[in-house]
Amino acid sequence: MFSVVNDKIPQIVFALSASLGSFVIGTVLGWSSPTMTMLENGTAVSFEVSSMAAATACSLFGVGAVIGAVPAGAVSSVFGRRVSLIVGEAHVVFGWLMIAFPKAARMLYVGRILQGVGCGAMCTIIPMYVGEIAEPEIRGFLGGLYQLFVVAGILYSYVLGNFLNYTQLNLACGVWMVIHILGLLYMPESPYFLIQENKKVSAEEALARLRDPDHDCKAELVEIQKFVEEEQKNSYTAREVLEKDVNRRALTIGIGCMFFQQTTGINAIIFYMKHVFEISGSDISPELCTTIVGTIQVVMTFVSMMITDKFGRRSLMVYSMTSMGVCLLALSYYFFSKKYNPHVAQTLDWLPLVTIVLYISMFSIGCGPIPYIIIGEIFSSELKSMGTGMSIATNWILVWLVTCLAEPMDKFIGPSGTFFVYSGFCFMGMLFVVNCVPETKNRSLAVIQSDLEKN
């Protein structure tokens, strides 16, 4: 892997520049866990915030993300990937300002929605951009940067939330927006977008910046142009695009991967992780538990980057979802025992931390990063904007639904029943991957489309 990486430094640098946006997304996601307590106990803001208001502020992020994700693909097809990322980041800037210095609860609500709009847009565009600038043999590695930076941002918020006050935490998270915007200003536009806009000279210049000096850019540019021209031969409407079997299959794969990624309960656990450890009765402090889990998530996501192009997307997804299902079944058993057989539960007080660490580890290896890699690979040019937007929108709709339903589920069926439901979705997701998702490692975008058409 590292010998391959050494020859591809330019595209790695620019993939890092784009993927820093996912670190920003991670800080926004991780913000909920430490600030929920601050808002509820009155140490965060000058006005009173009820438990319901705090939970609403956290969950409204998902609503904004849907609003940002749906049009993001189309916007990036008109204005380009780079400009669209800058616009998305601008929404996050205004969101952080409203959340850092709120005068009323409604400012928290609006700020979280604005953050969601920007993060939803970046979630759509970052995988698209990285998938277009990366060569096939390193695309899985670079695609994994997205999830690595998300979990690193979550850990950043977890750790700083343990000792910074509310305003300091918001400012410490907000500084990463400035770093990302500076990176975007230097980043080249996607050669695929430039060819679509008939800017061949600009596309050649962008590709030269993305490749090693010894790389045959002209030959690759011919391949890109041929691929784009093939996709643009006929004008098409959304209905005509979806009439093609290959496009419907690709859309099913993209939406399905995002659906099962979220219904495994990952964001409910991330948002309310401190609460989960508090009710578990473990002797280990919730703050230490969340930091341990966040650190493991970063480490295992990095491991995933190293092995994705070796073992393949499909096999890692199957292994990941199966293992996650087993972990959630064990966690469900612990809470069942805690309610009905406390003596057994007392001997298993180590189980919540162990199962959540393993669950997060398995998520980070497959179910977390790989759906974003896949949606950057399987959509044709005519479907890319619509397909990526719909897939990311599905993801964020479910982020909102799953986090909103977590508290009612905990109340009506208890933590044991909640984790049992999540485990069922893990096993259903495994069956979906086995039956529907093709292997895409080491294949060019053109070859992937050809394989989808044959199947």
Side-chain angles (χ1 to χ4, degrees):
M1 167 58 73
F2 289 103
S3 61
V4 174
V5 167
N6 288 334
D7 295 332
K8 306 186 186 302
I9 296 300
Q11 59 192 291
I12 294 174
V13 170
F14 293 122
L16 283 167
S17 298
S19 298
L20 270 176
S22 55
F23 188 93
V24 173
I25 295 167
T27 63
V28 176
L29 287 170
W31 176 91
S32 298
S33 185
T35 56
M36 278 280 288
T37 304
M38 297 181 193
L39 290 169
E40 291 173 4
N41 64 20
T43 61
V45 292
S46 58
F47 51 90
E48 184 177 348
V49 181
S50 66
S51 297
M52 180 61 71
T56 300
C58 292
S59 64
L60 281 174
F61 169 79
V63 176
V66 175
I67 296 170
V70 172
V75 170
S76 71
S77 292
V78 175
F79 298 103
R81 317 319 187 208
R82 189 168 69 102
V83 171
S84 299
L85 283 173
I86 293 173
V87 172
E89 192 67 90
H91 284 80
V92 183
V93 171
F94 288 116
W96 273 122
L97 289 174
M98 296 190 76
I99 287 172
F101 308 104
K103 302 298 182 184
R106 60 180 175 272
M107 289 186 69
L108 292 175
Y109 300 157
V110 174
R112 286 293 281 177
I113 290 173
L114 283 174
Q115 286 183 327
V117 171
C119 290
M122 290 194 291
C123 276
T124 303
I125 300 165
I126 291 171
M128 184 188 304
Y129 177 81
V130 173
E132 290 176 344
I133 69 168
E135 293 178 80
E137 58 267 32
I138 202 175
R139 193 187 304 121
F141 173 79
L142 295 184
L145 287 173
Y146 175 89
Q147 187 67 16
L148 176 67
F149 280 15
V150 168
V151 298
I154 292 171
L155 176 61
Y156 180 83
S157 291
Y158 282 175
V159 173
L160 295 189
N162 289 334
F163 58 86
L164 295 183
N165 65 34
Y166 179 80
T167 302
Q168 291 170 341
L169 175 63
N170 286 321
L171 294 176
C173 290
V175 70
W176 288 96
M177 298 179 301
V178 178
I179 298 172
H180 184 222
I181 290 173
L182 291 175
L184 293 176
L185 293 174
Y186 179 68
M187 192 175 79
E189 184 53 83
S190 162
Y192 280 83
F193 169 76
L194 293 170
I195 289 293
Q196 289 170 7
E197 295 295 300
N198 203 29
K199 298 178 179 179
K200 296 180 182 177
V201 174
S202 297
E204 188 171 355
E205 292 172 352
L207 196 61
R209 291 182 63 193
L210 290 163
R211 299 293 183 256
D212 188 77
D214 298 329
H215 183 79
D216 188 355
C217 292
K218 290 188 180 296
E220 184 175 356
L221 202 63
V222 169
E223 183 181 346
I224 293 172
Q225 187 167 350
K226 181 180 178 182
F227 174 68
V228 171
E229 286 176 352
E230 186 68 26
E231 297 291 342
Q232 292 182 333
K233 276 184 179 178
N234 302 307
S235 60
Y236 44 79
T237 63
R239 179 178 178 179
E240 289 169 340
V241 168
L242 295 177
E243 283 178 350
K244 296 182 179 179
D245 289 340
V246 62
N247 286 338
R248 288 200 301 272
R249 185 177 182 217
L251 195 61
T252 299
I253 292 168
I255 290 177
C257 286
M258 291 301 182
F259 176 86
F260 286 110
Q261 183 199 61
Q262 290 305 319
T263 52
T264 59
I266 182 64
N267 275 300
I269 291 174
I270 287 174
F271 275 42
Y272 304 116
M273 190 174 294
K274 286 181 73 172
H275 174 66
V276 171
F277 285 121
E278 285 168 358
I279 64 174
S280 73
S282 173
D283 293 333
I284 307 174
S285 72
E287 291 79 11
L288 178 59
C289 287
T290 55
T291 301
I292 291 172
V293 171
T295 303
I296 294 294
Q297 191 173 17
V298 172
V299 172
M300 296 309 294
T301 302
F302 183 76
V303 171
S304 174
M305 290 173 58
M306 297 295 104
I307 65 178
T308 297
D309 284 319
K310 180 177 181 180
F311 293 101
R313 287 62 153 151
R314 190 169 179 268
S315 57
L316 287 175
M317 283 277 282
V318 171
Y319 177 75
S320 169
M321 287 185 159
T322 304
S323 302
M324 289 164 62
V326 172
C327 290
L328 291 174
L329 281 178
L331 196 57
S332 174
Y333 172 74
Y334 171 80
F335 282 105
F336 181 86
S337 298
K338 190 171 186 290
K339 182 176 181 179
Y340 295 105
N341 198 346
H343 295 296
V344 173
Q346 286 178 357
T347 65
L348 298 172
D349 60 353
W350 50 269
L351 190 61
L353 178 59
V354 171
T355 52
I356 289 179
V357 164
L358 289 174
Y359 168 85
I360 292 288
S361 298
M362 294 303 100
F363 177 86
S364 302
I365 283 178
C367 192
I370 291 178
Y372 293 101
I373 297 172
I374 288 174
I375 65 170
E377 296 176 326
I378 62 168
F379 296 131
S380 62
S381 294
E382 62 186 9
L383 183 62
K384 189 177 290 288
S385 297
M386 182 197 308
T388 306
M390 290 178 69
S391 298
I392 297 295
T394 299
N395 186 288
W396 286 115
I397 288 170
L398 288 163
V399 169
W400 176 65
L401 280 176
V402 170
T403 52
C404 280
L405 290 173
E407 190 171 341
M409 287 174 68
D410 182 51
K411 180 179 179 181
F412 289 109
I413 63 175
S416 177
T418 300
F419 291 122
F420 184 80
V421 170
Y422 293 155
S423 72
F425 279 107
C426 289
F427 293 122
M428 286 190 286
M430 178 269 292
L431 293 174
F432 171 80
V433 173
V434 168
N435 289 285
C436 300
V437 179
E439 182 54 71
T440 60
K441 75 166 185 175
N442 295 333
R443 290 178 169 88
S444 69
L445 300 183
V447 170
I448 292 170
Q449 286 303 303
S450 177
D451 289 346
L452 285 172
E453 288 176 359
K454 291 175 184 176
N455 292 328

